[in-house]
């Protein structure tokens, strides 16, 4: 009986350390081929399908949909084609924590026997021959204890799997842990409706079906030492999902993971490291609105959006005020002390905020300073579609040098935005609305928007920030002359 090959979750790009398992594309017992997609996972950057470097029979799926998996940890075990299939209950023993790094290193060597398929930082290079797995011998006393399952339990487990299997789809129960939990608590999986994809029965479904244990009375004492009467069964049930601080019922809980987890970490780091300041100005955008209307009338199919024009003005402004197109890098000197330097860039990668179903994403237009308004418009539209489909690459999401945020689409006028670390500035554009405005000494109704610039005070002072903001505002108010000079 051949030992299954264990495929470890690869690094999916730019040193990401974890990924959320969205759903399995295969089930235990399925025959798979090399490069066949086996799972769909979501990282902080994008959603991708992971192909298998092995052909054979799926022996074990290491994880459940919704679970966060660490890079370098087991993802799937595959029994090689032509070998006897190893039962799930007899899956390989998980190595102790101190040998996991060695297993991950061995995995990188095993990849060399793959097909050549490449997936964002991970691939099977297509080496010749068969890579063999070597492992240092372990004494019996050092081996981790293994829980044994009787043949009767294994047979019952397999019967449950067959009863809940949906032909052509994922098994309604995949995880051996879930099946074992159901068996131990007398839960009939055949009668459960799974809450996962394709009716997949999750651990939470089994837990919900398990009869709750009787409440244990706990004696509570007041400050004077007198016992407080215990809650009745009814009151205990009523307060089980009540927030202790507010006394309000808890309507739901959402795990912070994936894109939301990455955004939270980046914004927290930005606020903790960057001494930011904000300046803003109201701008008469009437001339820009009229210019675009005239262009649209002449060429309805090839007219840039207003954001593309603003993006063009921003890239020109960053050339004039390059301090806002930099990055602060901390380095360690020979004495062990830390020093900082401001790194300037030869070009502008303009990031822009795009709201998606997965959260706020910031793709960047590379070398935006070399593009016209029409070219910027086309690239903004392309990247917006890519991030909403979850197909953006790490390079498209992590290479910006300055960010443009059009929060006017949400119907708001202004916002003191958080800088997208490690950048040093972000410009926000509010909605364009009719407002009273003084023109040549007379009151008139004009199209007015608000620009807000948040900048890192370590790289420049208010004079530079104000100069850049005024440059962009003047270009919006006089777009014809501004574009003629660009």
């Amino acid at each position: 009986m051949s030992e299954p090959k264990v495929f470890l979750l690869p690094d999916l790009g730019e040193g990401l350390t974890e990924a959320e398992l969205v759903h399995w594309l295969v089930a235990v017992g399925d025959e798979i081929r090399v490069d066949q997609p086996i799972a769909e996972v979501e990282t902080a950057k994008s959603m991708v399908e992971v192909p298998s470097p092995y052909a054979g029979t799926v022996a074990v799926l290491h994880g459940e949909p919704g679970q966060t998996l660490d890079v370098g940890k087991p993802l799937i075990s595959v029994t090689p084609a032509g070998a006897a299939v190893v039962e799930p209950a007899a899956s390989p023993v998980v190595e102790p924590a101190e040998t996991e790094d060695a297993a991950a290193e061995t995995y990188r060597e095993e990849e060399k026997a793959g097909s050549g398929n490449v997936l964002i930082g991970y691939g099977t290079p297509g080496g010749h021959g068969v890579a063999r797995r070597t492992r240092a011998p372990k004494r019996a006393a050092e081996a981790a204890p293994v829980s044994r399952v009787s043949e009767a339990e294994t047979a019952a487990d397999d019967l449950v799997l067959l009863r809940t299997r949906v032909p052509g789809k994922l098994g309604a129960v995949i995880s051996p842990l879930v099946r074992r939990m159901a068996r131990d608590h007398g839960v009939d999986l055949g009668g459960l409706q799974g809450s996962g994809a394709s009716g997949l029965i999750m651990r939470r479904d089994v837990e919900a079906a398990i009869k709750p244990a009787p409440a244990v009375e706990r004696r509570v004492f007041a400050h004077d030492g007198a016992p407080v009467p215990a809650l009745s069964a009814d009151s205990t049930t009523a307060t089980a999902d009540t927030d202790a601080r507010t006394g309000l019922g808890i309507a739901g809980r959402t795990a912070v993971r994936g894109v939301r987890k990455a955004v939270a970490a980046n914004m927290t780091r930005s606020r903790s490291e960057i001494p930011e300041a904000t300046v803003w100005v109201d701008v008469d955008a009437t001339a820009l609105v009229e210019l675009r209307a005239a262009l649209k009338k002449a060429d309805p199919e090839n007219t840039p959006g207003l954001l593309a024009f603003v993006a063009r003005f921003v890239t020109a402004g960053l050339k004039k005020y390059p301090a806002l197109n930099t990055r602060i890098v901390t380095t360690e000197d020979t004495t062990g002390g830390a020093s900082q330097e401001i790194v300037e860039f030869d070009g502008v990668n303009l990031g822009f905020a795009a709201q998606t179903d997965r959260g706020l994403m910031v793709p960047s237009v590379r070398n935006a300073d070399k593009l016209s308004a029409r070219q910027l418009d086309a690239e903004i539209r392309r990247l917006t579609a890519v991030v909403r489909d979850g197909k953006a690459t790490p390079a498209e999401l992590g290479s910006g040098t300055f960010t443009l945020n059009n929060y006017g689409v949400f119907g708001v006028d202004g916002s003191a935005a958080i800088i997208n670390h490690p950048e040093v500035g972000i410009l926000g554009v509010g909605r364009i609305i009719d407002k009273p405005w003084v023109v040549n000494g007379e009151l008139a109704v004009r199209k007015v928007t608000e620009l807000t610039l948040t900048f890192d005070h370590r790289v420049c002072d208010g004079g530079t920030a104000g100069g850049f903001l005024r440059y962009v505002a003047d270009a919006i108010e006089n777009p014809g002359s501004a574009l003629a000079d660009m």
Side-chain angles (χ1 to χ4, degrees):
M1 184 176 293
S2 177
E3 179 183 356
K5 292 186 175 182
V6 181
F7 175 40
L8 307 183
L9 179 66
D11 180 353
L12 300 173
E14 291 202 346
L16 297 173
T17 59
E18 64 183 18
E20 179 186 342
L21 177 60
V22 178
H23 64 263
W24 290 106
L25 303 177
V26 296
V28 173
D30 285 355
E31 296 290 333
I32 62 174
R33 62 184 185 280
V34 174
D35 288 344
Q36 177 177 336
I38 56 175
E40 191 173 56
V41 300
E42 180 182 18
T43 70
K45 300 290 186 183
S46 59
M47 189 177 297
V48 296
E49 289 183 347
V50 180
S52 171
Y54 307 129
T57 304
V58 177
V60 181
L61 301 177
H62 300 278
E64 300 179 10
Q67 182 179 351
T68 298
L69 305 177
D70 293 331
V71 169
K73 296 299 179 62
L75 178 65
I76 188 172
S77 296
V78 179
T79 301
V85 177
V86 180
E87 298 295 333
S91 58
V93 179
V94 178
E95 297 286 345
E98 61 268 17
T99 66
E100 288 177 350
D101 292 340
E105 191 64 33
T106 302
Y107 161 71
R108 296 186 182 95
E109 294 299 321
E110 275 190 330
E111 277 187 333
K112 296 177 182 177
S115 67
N117 193 14
V118 177
L119 171 68
I120 311 179
Y122 132 75
T124 54
H128 299 287
V130 178
R132 297 191 176 275
R133 200 176 178 123
T134 58
R135 187 176 297 173
K138 293 191 292 184
R139 295 189 299 272
E142 295 175 343
V146 182
S147 59
R148 300 292 181 185
V149 181
S150 69
E151 293 184 3
E153 288 178 324
T154 301
D157 204 35
D158 293 341
L159 179 61
V160 167
L161 179 61
L162 291 174
R163 287 181 57 200
T164 57
R165 177 71 185 249
V166 180
K169 293 186 177 181
L170 295 175
V173 183
I174 290 179
S175 169
L177 294 177
V178 173
R179 298 200 299 273
R180 175 116 189 211
M181 178 188 295
R183 183 176 63 245
D184 292 345
H185 291 84
V187 176
D188 181 10
L189 292 174
L192 280 186
Q193 178 63 42
S195 62
S198 301
L200 183 69
I201 296 177
M202 311 291 289
R203 178 173 180 172
R204 58 177 176 267
D205 301 320
V206 176
E207 291 175 340
I210 298 174
K211 182 179 294 186
V216 178
E217 180 180 354
R218 293 187 302 170
R219 302 198 70 187
V220 182
F221 295 87
H223 292 294
D224 58 2
V228 176
L231 296 174
S232 65
D234 292 339
S235 61
T236 301
T237 302
T239 60
D241 290 324
T242 300
D243 180 61
R245 187 180 72 85
T246 63
L248 298 176
I250 298 175
R253 300 177 186 272
T254 303
V256 179
R257 59 194 182 196
V259 173
R260 176 54 52 193
K261 182 177 180 180
V263 170
N266 197 50
M267 295 299 100
T268 300
R269 183 176 182 183
S270 178
R271 275 288 165 89
S272 64
E273 293 185 9
I274 299 177
E276 62 186 31
T278 303
V279 290
W280 60 92
V281 63
D282 288 337
V283 182
D284 180 3
T286 306
L288 179 59
V289 173
E290 292 175 347
L291 172 64
R292 183 179 183 275
L295 292 173
K296 190 172 181 64
K297 185 176 181 180
D299 188 1
E301 303 298 326
N302 195 30
T303 302
L306 290 174
L307 184 64
F309 284 108
V310 176
R312 187 69 191 93
F313 302 149
V314 167
T315 58
L318 291 174
K319 281 188 174 182
K320 188 174 180 63
Y321 297 92
L324 291 167
N325 189 50
T326 60
R327 179 174 301 170
I328 287 188
V329 177
T330 302
T331 57
E332 186 173 318
D333 56 31
T334 55
T335 63
S339 61
Q340 291 183 326
E341 61 180 2
I342 299 175
V343 178
E344 300 178 6
F345 300 107
D346 182 16
V348 177
N349 287 352
L350 184 64
F352 64 94
Q355 193 67 40
T356 73
D357 293 339
R358 300 171 60 235
L360 183 66
M361 311 287 284
V362 186
S364 59
V365 179
R366 300 177 70 88
N367 297 308
D369 54 308
K370 296 179 174 61
L371 303 181
S372 66
R374 282 193 175 93
Q375 292 171 324
L376 284 168
D377 184 73
E379 190 66 1
I380 288 172
R381 293 179 187 275
R382 183 191 72 81
L383 288 170
T384 300
V386 167
V387 296
R388 286 178 176 168
D389 290 340
K391 303 300 183 182
T393 65
E396 289 172 328
L397 290 172
S399 60
T401 60
F402 186 90
T403 295
L404 176 61
N405 185 7
N406 179 23
Y407 44 73
V409 296
F410 302 115
V412 296
D413 298 330
S415 171
I418 299 177
I419 297 172
N420 186 24
H421 186 278
E423 298 169 14
V424 298
I426 179 171
L427 179 72
V429 183
R431 59 177 178 165
I432 299 177
I433 58 174
D434 291 340
K435 279 188 176 183
W437 197 263
V438 177
V439 181
N440 298 324
E442 296 183 357
L443 194 63
V445 176
R446 307 290 284 182
K447 303 290 185 182
V448 178
T449 186
E450 183 179 281
L451 300 181
T452 344
L453 173 66
T454 303
F455 65 98
D456 187 335
H457 225 313
R458 295 174 298 177
V459 301
C460 68
D461 298 320
T464 300
F468 168 80
L469 186 62
R470 191 63 256 173
Y471 177 90
V472 177
D474 290 342
I476 291 175
E477 293 183 341
N478 302 281
S481 60
L483 290 171
D485 294 333
M486 292 179 183

